[in-house]
Amino acid sequence: MQVTETQNDGLKRGYEITITAKELDEKVTAKLSEAQPEIEMKGFRKGKVPMAMLRKQFGPRILGEAMQESVDGAMSEHFDKTGDRPAMQPKIEMKDGENWKEGDDVVVTVEYEALPDIPDVDLSGVKLERLVVKANEGEVNEALESLAATAKNFEAKDGKAENGDQVVIDFEGFVDGEAFEGGKGEGYPLELGSGSFIPGFEEQLVGAKAGDDVEVTVKFPEEYGAEHLAGKEALFKCKVHEVKAPKAAEIDDEMAKQFGAEDLAALKAQVAERLEAEYQGAARQVMKRGLLDQLDDQVKFDLPPSLVEAEAKQIAHQLYHEENPDDHGHDHGEIETTEEHTTLAERRVRLGLLLAEIGRKQEIEVSDAEMTQAIMNQARQYPGQERAFFEFVQQNPQMQQQLRAPIFEDKVVDYIAGEAKVDDKEVTKEELQKEIEKLDEL
């Protein structure tokens, strides 16, 4: 086997691999000889099938396997020898493939872009600022008021029902004049505006008073779960027994106990801790941007054009769908990339390669437990289909990589922050918000 270099221009590499007919024949013979003792064929005892017959029966398939193994072995040996790491899957083609016939040498061309040599970074020279926001009394009280609204009660009131009120009703539904199963209820407390009933139902009870009989006409959605009702018009006869107005819970020890706290003071402490955790998460994103900006300024190296081009196309595609939210398909044709897309792609590729290299050298890995947690978090977006989502991820390496990549990046960022000089700076919630808004500028 012979490997000849045909291109070495920047990060672009090209090679020609020649596998002689003799080498292939020896591989095929070795494979058939290894399998011969276990092969049975009509007219011959097990292990006694002549080699000539084995070649005729299995030779073409074995020859294909031998070619693939030879090419894979040559590439593996080449990468071990040169230290090259391809940026993307190498392009491998058989030279004169259509004219090749058994007994000829096999010549394969290989082209790829090598990952660049990435310089070491003096992380001790990285200086970061960590914004710290303390939850003040006003913010804690505002959060408590929101909790009180979720723990609201309803009290009887005189007059007409308004949106947000609760009506206690009996109801019975009819389709084509016939009552249908599951369409009846008694003493049902319905909050108007909650969207818990069929679209259009709750709106028709606005203005009703205790003692009123109200007929509500609605149409079941076409995708309604019960097929015999989907798309059908229905009449509901309703009896309004009570109209109740919402009343927020009192912010006191009793309310605190509803949320699992010992008393109001303990609940306030929990709320403050939750708020500060949210601020900390936002501040981390600001610090991460500062870190990436410094790395981008400090470290320069050649970038594989194929990676930049692919990333620029991805950015252009993403921005197109953000600007055209109603276009959910992918039949919009090719989206032209701009210089701005390419500039952003270069930054992302450079930082991605740099973080990957730092992580590789520091042997940073994503644990099975971290992956499981990430899958569980994602699966919550598909209620009732969690198991199917787990199975989908297990069978889809690309999806696994999509989930693993941000975890890995965050772990590398945490490592760099641990090596850098970090100063804390106390700011207000509003100042933090302004810094967060700046993140959208790139």
Side-chain angles (χ1 to χ4, degrees), residues 105 116 162 178 328:
D105 291 348
E162 300 174 15
E178 298 289 332
H328 301 293

Side-chain angles (χ1 to χ4, degrees), residues 115-396:
L115 288 175
D117 291 328
I118 300 173
D120 290 332
V121 185
D122 181 10
L123 299 179
S124 64
V126 176
K127 296 181 180 179
L128 301 174
E129 190 172 69
R130 181 166 46 214
L131 304 181
V132 179
V133 179
K134 298 294 185 182
N136 61 42
E137 187 175 354
E139 291 162 356
V140 172
N141 289 336
E142 184 180 342
L144 288 173
E145 288 171 5
S146 296
L147 289 177
T150 65
K152 64 187 174 187
N153 297 308
F154 290 92
E155 294 184 345
K157 73 171 217 177
D158 294 327
K160 298 178 180 181
E162 300 174 15
N163 209 37
D165 286 349
Q166 183 188 82
V167 291
V168 181
I169 58 172
D170 296 339
F171 62 87
E172 185 171 14
F174 300 84
V175 171
D176 297 329
E178 298 289 332
F180 58 87
E181 185 178 354
K184 187 176 183 178
E186 295 181 352
Y188 188 92
L190 174 62
E191 183 179 345
L192 303 183
S194 65
S196 54
F197 266 33
I198 306 164
F201 189 104
E202 295 166 20
E203 291 87 338
Q204 296 178 53
L205 288 170
V206 172
K209 303 188 300 295
D212 283 354
D213 292 307
V214 182
E215 291 191 349
V216 174
T217 302
V218 293
K219 184 177 181 181
F220 283 95
E222 295 292 342
E223 65 277 8
Y224 194 68
E227 291 185 11
H228 67 291
L229 296 175
K232 297 287 184 66
E233 188 173 281
L235 170 68
F236 284 85
K237 294 182 179 180
C238 305
K239 178 69 174 182
V240 180
H241 292 293
E242 290 183 272
V243 176
K244 298 182 176 183
K247 182 184 179 183
E250 295 291 335
I251 301 176
D252 55 17
D253 290 342
E254 287 303 313
M255 189 195 84
K257 291 174 183 177
Q258 291 183 45
F259 290 97
E262 184 176 339
D263 53 28
L264 183 57
L267 181 60
K268 284 184 175 181
Q270 291 176 12
V271 168
E273 184 177 349
R274 176 178 59 79
L275 288 173
E276 289 176 5
E278 292 176 3
Y279 300 150
Q280 185 178 5
R284 187 185 188 283
Q285 294 304 310
V286 174
M287 186 178 74
K288 179 179 177 180
R289 168 59 66 80
L291 184 154
L292 295 179
D293 286 346
Q294 288 188 55
L295 293 179
D296 191 39
D297 288 338
Q298 290 183 23
V299 184
K300 302 296 179 185
F301 49 84
D302 291 337
L303 302 176
S306 59
L307 287 185
V308 174
E309 182 181 359
E311 184 65 26
K313 287 182 177 179
Q314 176 63 30
I315 291 169
H317 188 265
Q318 180 182 342
L319 292 176
Y320 170 83
H321 281 286
E322 288 178 1
E323 294 166 2
N324 301 273
D326 296 331
D327 188 351
H328 301 293
H330 296 278
D331 55 353
H332 43 62
E334 186 171 353
I335 301 169
E336 200 169 322
T337 57
T338 66
E339 186 177 342
E340 184 180 0
H341 297 148
T342 301
T343 300
L344 180 53
E346 289 174 347
R347 172 188 165 94
R348 288 186 180 179
V349 171
R350 183 183 301 110
L351 291 172
L353 292 176
L354 178 59
L355 293 179
E357 182 68 6
I358 293 173
R360 185 181 70 84
K361 288 182 177 178
Q362 298 303 320
E363 299 183 347
I364 295 172
E365 294 182 349
V366 177
S367 68
D368 290 342
E370 289 167 331
M371 272 298 291
T372 299
Q373 186 61 52
I375 296 172
M376 288 175 62
N377 292 340
Q378 195 80 2
R380 292 193 184 101
Q381 299 181 22
Y382 307 94
Q385 300 179 346
E386 290 86 353
R387 181 178 294 275
F389 182 80
F390 263 90
E391 292 174 355
F392 169 72
V393 173
Q394 288 175 343
Q395 298 167 11
N396 191 320

